[in-house]
Amino acid sequence: MKAISLTGIKPTGTPHLGNYLGAIRPALDLAQQYEPVYFIADYHALTTVQDASLMRDNIYKVAATWLALGLNPEEALFYKQSDIPEIFELNWALSCITPKGFMNRAHAYKDKVAKNIEAGEDQDYGVNMGLYAYPCLMNADILIFNANVVPVGKDQKQHVEFARDIALRFNKTFAPIFTIPEPIIQEKSDVIPGLDGRKMSKSYGNTIEIFLESKALKKKIGKIVTNTQSIEEAKDPDSCHIFALYKLFASPEATESLATRYRAGGLGWGHAKAELHHLLEETFQEARTKYFHLMANPLEIEKILDYGAQKARLRAKENMEKIREALGVS
Ligand code: ADP
Ligand code: TRP
């Protein structure tokens, strides 16, 4: 039996290059070596997405993205979190052995509290219980399928460490049934910069979506912030946001060649942006066609997710039986 690689993506908007490089691409690479268990974390998204038609649309987008980029639903377990009720049962059981202090220290909650205090608000202003207990549900996602590795962006490392800790506690308190998961963080792409150089994130509005039509992509790339150096001036590739994105997709030779052109002078920001545009178009051309086909045929997506849910539930049920037995409730 192959070891399991598991990860989830929240349907909170249109997937962007940060999601692709930080989460999707590394996860797909691991699918060669591990059994992939990849899912859509819709109940995690519910902490912020509270509009049914938006939720549905976001779920289609995330599902179509995984499928277009090459996830094979025959080889993978590919499902929507909300279709697996055992995850929510395990969530409760785990919450009973999770110290409340862990949640206080979880970075998303901690950041929110710090911002509230700075703004002179009550510290829990705008915090729902879903946001507060978010890492606990994530632990259930990971442990229910006994994941060996969890590929995630750097910001999620803490959550996987919680899952390790809780698995160890459970194993010690009840029975040694959980695998201790290992986070896998892509060093090369741990924080992908956005249009403004800050971490690319939907919440900063600085994203480049993975599948954009050529014109829209050009417009987005046009917004990458640069300095005021003239065309003739020699430029430093390593402090340039365009180059930072370029090198994540280009071959080492192409990267070196563009770096040389930067340093030589005579390359304007417009030229560098055109290089990036060309490279992204080429990289995603095939997947983009598949993505738009799926988005135009949501029933196809639903069929694939239903199939995945059936397969995943069989496994989740089997594991939940063992967990219930360990807890003494069955
Ligand atoms: P966003 O910040 O846009 O809301 P999510 O929180 O939905 O993105 O992230 C989904 C996955 O993509 C996570 O594993 C996260 O670590 C990864 N990720 C998101 N943005 C980046 C980024 N800029 N660089 C690297 N990984 C990222
Ligand atoms: N919290 C993750 C994010 O914001 C999404 C997620 C939910 C996840 N459950 C997971 C990632 C389990 C890995 C494993 O990106």
Side-chain angles (χ1 to χ4, degrees):
M1 223 167 64
K2 272 187 179 174
I4 291 173
S5 160
L6 175 147
T7 199
I9 292 202
K10 280 183 299 179
T12 48
T14 311
H16 54 75
L17 295 181
N19 301 143
Y20 174 67
L21 294 163
I24 302 173
R25 189 168 76 178
L28 290 172
D29 288 346
L30 287 168
Q32 319 280 337
Q33 196 187 332
Y34 291 86
E35 178 190 359
V37 178
Y38 297 155
F39 68 97
I40 301 169
D42 50 352
Y43 270 8
H44 271 119
L46 193 58
T47 62
T48 54
V49 180
Q50 304 189 341
D51 171 311
S53 68
L54 186 61
M55 177 69 93
R56 210 162 281 129
D57 198 42
N58 287 346
I59 290 171
Y60 289 146
K61 282 179 178 168
V62 173
T65 299
W66 275 113
L67 294 166
L69 290 168
L71 183 69
N72 178 347
E74 290 297 334
E75 283 166 10
L77 281 189
F78 179 56
Y79 55 91
K80 209 155 91 244
Q81 179 190 36
S82 63
D83 284 337
I84 317 294
E86 289 74 18
I87 293 173
F88 306 95
E89 182 177 350
L90 179 58
N91 175 47
W92 178 260
L94 296 182
S95 76
C96 295
I97 58 162
T98 300
K100 178 168 172 282
F102 275 24
M103 303 296 107
N104 293 341
R105 285 201 299 280
H107 68 79
Y109 172 67
K110 218 169 102 181
D111 290 352
K112 186 109 189 173
V113 167
K115 279 198 189 114
N116 279 338
I117 291 173
E118 202 182 295
E121 298 282 359
D122 180 88
Q123 69 162 29
D124 283 333
Y125 177 74
V127 176
N128 58 49
M129 280 302 292
L131 172 69
Y132 184 65
Y134 186 107
C136 196
L137 179 57
M138 192 162 153
N139 294 345
D141 289 331
I142 296 171
L143 300 183
I144 190 87
F145 290 112
N146 282 310
N148 299 82
V149 297
V150 184
V152 279
K154 205 177 185 175
D155 59 321
Q156 297 296 314
K157 192 168 171 226
Q158 182 196 34
H159 294 155
V160 184
E161 278 159 3
F162 285 160
R164 288 174 63 83
D165 192 302
I166 297 306
L168 286 166
R169 274 168 203 251
F170 186 101
N171 287 354
K172 207 167 141 212
T173 312
F174 298 104
I177 56 177
F178 285 132
T179 304
I180 312 303
E182 197 72 57
I184 294 196
I185 316 290
Q186 283 301 101
E187 288 307 331
K188 196 169 86 181
S189 56
D190 54 3
V191 178
I192 308 303
L195 298 174
D196 55 1
R198 291 189 294 170
K199 175 189 177 234
M200 186 178 289
S201 171
K202 279 157 243 157
S203 40
Y204 294 147
N206 64 355
T207 57
I208 300 177
E209 290 71 28
I210 305 171
F211 302 115
L212 285 173
E213 301 285 6
S214 182
K215 253 183 154 168
L217 179 62
K218 193 167 173 200
K219 212 167 145 197
K220 262 283 155 97
I221 292 175
K223 289 188 186 151
I224 298 178
V225 176
T226 52
N227 62 25
T228 54
Q229 280 182 294
S230 68
I231 295 185
E232 296 74 36
E233 279 178 83
K235 299 180 178 63
D236 172 25
D238 298 323
S239 58
C240 171
H241 308 323
I242 308 165
F243 189 79
L245 285 169
Y246 183 88
K247 72 175 181 197
L248 290 161
F249 293 96
S251 66
E253 299 76 38
T255 304
E256 203 33 56
S257 146
L258 187 63
T260 308
R261 287 172 65 199
Y262 264 72
R263 294 189 189 107
L267 176 102
W269 298 128
H271 301 128
K273 287 179 175 181
E275 292 290 340
L276 178 62
H277 180 249
H278 179 69
L279 180 62
L280 290 178
E281 282 253 284
E282 206 177 67
T283 305
F284 292 112
Q285 196 177 28
E286 222 183 289
R288 191 169 62 183
T289 307
K290 215 166 157 189
Y291 176 83
F292 285 118
H293 167 83
L294 285 164
M295 287 306 285
N297 297 279
L299 280 180
E300 249 179 69
I301 302 178
E302 279 181 24
K303 245 169 87 182
I304 293 170
L305 288 175
D306 284 347
Y307 170 72
Q310 278 180 35
K311 277 203 299 184
R313 266 207 90 183
L314 282 179
R315 292 268 283 276
K317 267 185 173 163
E318 206 178 288
N319 291 344
M320 199 60 220
E321 284 288 311
K322 290 186 196 141
I323 297 163
R324 288 168 65 91
E325 208 172 292
L327 293 168
V329 298
S330 73

